[in-house]
Amino acid sequence: MIVAERKPIREILKMIEDYQKILILGCRACVTACAAGGQKDVEIMGSIIRIDRKRRGLPVEVYEKTIDRQCDPLFFAPIDNLITKSEVVLSMACGVGVNMLAETYPNKVVLPALNTGFMGLLEEQGVWAERCIGCGDCILAETAGICPLSRCPKHSLDGPCLGSINGKCVVYPENQCVWYVIYERLKTLKQLDKMERILPFKDWSKTVSPRRVIREDLRL
Amino acid sequence: MVVCFYCYHSGVGEKFWAQIERSSGELKKVRVDCTGKLDILSLLKPFEDGADKVIVLGCPNEECHNLTGSYKAKKRIQYIQQVLEDIGLGKEQIEFITVPRWVGVNA
């Protein structure tokens, strides 16, 4: 999933300061799973905005809505009138959702309520961790399904660095060295020979923005 | 107005209420099954409705009937304290007060 977190409240309140009719738009996809922009988070944000305006004696009309996905304009259709009648849309989706809203509604002010972080997973209750950097040249077949690029601060492709001690990372000692994890898993899978293979240089040109995937067989 | 959520299992007696009422003026009591059932939204709502302060009366961590209820409530209150601080209300507007369980009606 795409992992995001709410921006500081002060930053959000400052962004929406000049507006009275505010649509807070949540997304039921990744940001719901990472507890940043789902329906509950939308309701909490609405409550915070109303408390702030009440405290300052300023009028506000807050509309709260959560749609299945903000990265697909199909889902905007049922709430089109709500978007139209609001002065600003405070999107609680990831950056992709904010972009899609902005591209779909050229005349509408769209603001982000979240900081989009990374692609990751839920490591434990309340803790999300990065697992994919979207390098465009996946090497997971060689590393037992464990990504060294997203979990090694040095992006080492050739096994553990010299600082790794007792299976722990030298940069973040609270973390396991990802190459230790890879080694252990390869051992379990009886594929330790893969540790001896030398991976080719990474083709970082595939990470240059703006990236695009084109499927000619699907194009109209 | 002060809104006071209190745990069904905690031993908040008449004396305790009288003490809180003396210090807070208008008091709205809301009984909950466990303070761990209070989510962030239900703790923010009273402020939206005009409350000046929210107090949560819960059991000691180790005596919680549902094991982790008080612990969870404290975590959520910490979150709300930060929010209240950010919007300029001040984090002291919400607090968790630990009360012993079933100390009797006169406690």
Side-chain angles (χ1 to χ4, degrees):
Chain A
M1 78 181 99
I2 292 175
V3 180
E5 60 183 335
R6 197 201 65 213
K7 281 178 174 288
I9 291 294
R10 281 183 192 159
E11 187 182 335
I12 296 172
L13 295 177
K14 193 168 165 52
M15 278 194 294
I16 58 169
E17 203 165 53
D18 299 330
Y19 304 101
Q20 284 182 23
K21 290 182 177 177
I22 303 163
L23 168 62
I24 308 173
L25 191 58
C27 178
R28 284 198 194 94
C30 311
V31 290
T32 292
C34 67
Q39 188 172 337
K40 202 171 180 182
D41 308 290
V42 166
E43 288 172 13
I44 291 170
M45 181 56 66
S47 182
I48 291 171
I49 292 171
R50 282 189 290 270
I51 292 168
D52 174 61
R53 293 290 171 102
K54 188 168 192 166
R55 184 186 71 80
R56 296 192 288 153
L58 299 171
V60 71
E61 214 172 311
V62 179
Y63 314 115
E64 297 165 7
K65 200 76 194 172
T66 305
I67 58 175
D68 284 346
R69 287 207 303 273
Q70 280 189 40
C71 52
D72 189 333
L74 277 177
F75 296 99
F76 295 148
I79 55 157
D80 192 62
N81 60 335
L82 209 51
I83 294 176
T84 310
K85 79 172 181 182
S86 58
E87 290 176 89
V88 62
V89 181
L90 181 64
S91 170
M92 295 198 73
C94 69
V96 183
V98 181
N99 271 269
M100 183 50 88
L101 264 172
E103 288 177 28
T104 312
Y105 295 92
N107 299 320
K108 186 63 59 186
V109 179
V110 180
L111 299 170
L114 305 184
N115 286 327
T116 306
F118 50 81
M119 286 181 279
L121 48 73
L122 183 71
E123 215 170 46
E124 60 178 91
Q125 174 81 21
V127 180
W128 289 267
E130 187 172 13
R131 288 292 185 270
C132 176
I133 63 167
C135 69
D137 184 22
C138 191
I139 56 161
L140 289 174
E142 302 300 319
T143 57
I146 309 289
C147 179
L149 291 167
S150 62
R151 289 171 69 176
C152 172
K154 298 180 181 178
H155 285 191
S156 170
L157 285 172
D158 306 317
C161 69
L162 291 175
S164 173
I165 302 164
N166 297 329
K168 294 288 180 186
C169 173
V170 65
V171 182
Y172 301 107
E174 68 275 17
N175 292 350
Q176 279 190 304
C177 166
V178 69
W179 276 103
Y180 175 79
V181 179
I182 292 169
Y183 176 84
E184 288 295 318
R185 189 161 150 73
L186 284 173
K187 196 160 79 176
T188 307
L189 297 172
K190 297 186 173 44
Q191 294 180 355
L192 268 180
D193 55 305
K194 286 190 175 178
M195 279 300 286
E196 289 173 22
R197 285 187 212 167
I198 294 174
L199 292 173
F201 286 124
K202 192 83 189 151
D203 180 6
W204 291 106
S205 69
K206 291 183 178 173
T207 65
V208 178
S209 296
R211 290 188 272 180
R212 183 171 279 147
V213 171
I214 299 173
R215 283 272 306 269
E216 288 298 345
D217 59 317
L218 294 176
R219 287 184 103 177
L220 295 176
Chain B
M1 178 181 62
V2 173
V3 174
C4 188
F5 295 98
Y6 67 102
C7 173
Y8 163 73
H9 298 281
S10 67
V12 187
E14 294 303 324
K15 278 185 184 171
F16 199 93
W17 284 124
Q19 194 184 335
I20 290 186
E21 269 167 12
R22 266 199 306 278
S23 59
S24 61
E26 192 188 346
L27 182 69
K28 184 183 172 189
K29 302 176 198 173
V30 184
R31 195 181 85 168
V32 290
D33 293 341
C34 174
T35 53
K37 282 203 80 171
L38 290 163
D39 63 6
I40 289 171
L41 199 60
S42 54
L43 289 167
L44 280 173
K45 273 285 177 215
F47 291 106
E48 235 184 282
D49 299 337
D52 302 305
K53 185 168 180 162
V54 170
I55 296 172
V56 178
L57 301 177
C59 310
N61 278 356
E62 64 279 8
E63 291 177 33
C64 175
H65 179 79
N66 297 303
L67 305 178
T68 57
S70 299
Y71 176 76
K72 284 176 183 163
K74 285 175 193 168
K75 289 261 192 187
R76 288 169 193 154
I77 287 169
Q78 274 174 10
Y79 177 96
I80 294 170
Q81 282 177 329
Q82 185 59 53
V83 169
L84 296 180
E85 191 75 7
D86 284 348
I87 62 178
L89 270 176
K91 63 180 178 186
E92 61 283 353
Q93 299 313 109
I94 183 165
E95 65 174 319
F96 185 99
I97 298 176
T98 305
V99 290
R101 287 187 69 187
W102 297 116
V103 289
V105 289
N106 292 320

